[in-house]
């Protein structure tokens, strides 16, 4: 079976040679109040989702992110998740 990726919020993305770093460029989008959606919003959402305090049922889907399993196990803080926002 061939899998085709369909970008959602991403306009495009690149993958590093070692395939460990993915860089996404977001397409323009706004929240319902008109405020622009930014990379910081995604970083905040990923950190919240992986935080054991939220008990998110789909948190394991993010286990490929650096530090995710340690965070879910309560051995690291959510801010250590391997997700960065290099700009808006």
């Amino acid at each position: 079976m061939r899998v085709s990726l369909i970008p959602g919020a991403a306009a495009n993305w690149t993958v590093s040679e070692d395939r460990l770093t993915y860089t996404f460029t977001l397409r323009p989008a706004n929240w319902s109040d008109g405020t622009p959606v930014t990379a910081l919003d995604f970083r905040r959402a990923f950190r919240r989702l992986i935080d054991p305090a939220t008990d998110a049922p789909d948190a394991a889907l993010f286990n490929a992110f650096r530090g995710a399993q340690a965070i879910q196990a309560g051995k690291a803080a959510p801010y250590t998740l391997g997700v960065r926002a290099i700009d808006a």
Side-chain angles (χ1 to χ4, degrees), residues 48-86:
R48 185 177 187 284
L49 181 123
I50 210 74
D51 188 336
T54 63
D55 198 26
D58 294 329
L61 294 174
F62 294 83
N63 281 349
F65 287 31
R66 183 177 38 91
Q69 293 179 29
I71 295 165
Q72 290 178 53
K75 297 178 181 177
Y79 74 85
T80 64
L81 183 66
V83 175
R84 293 186 313 137
I86 55 177

Side-chain angles (χ1 to χ4, degrees), residues 34-57:
T35 305
V37 175
T38 69
L40 292 171
D41 295 319
F42 278 89
R43 185 183 70 180
R44 185 180 310 111
F46 292 147
R47 287 177 176 177
R48 185 177 187 284
L49 181 123
I50 210 74
D51 188 336
T54 63
D55 198 26

Side-chain angles (χ1 to χ4, degrees), residues 7-14 22-28 37 39 42 86-88:
N12 58 64
W13 61 90
T14 59
Y22 290 68
T23 303
F24 295 89
T25 301
L26 300 178
R27 67 180 73 244
V37 175
F42 278 89
I86 55 177
D87 58 31

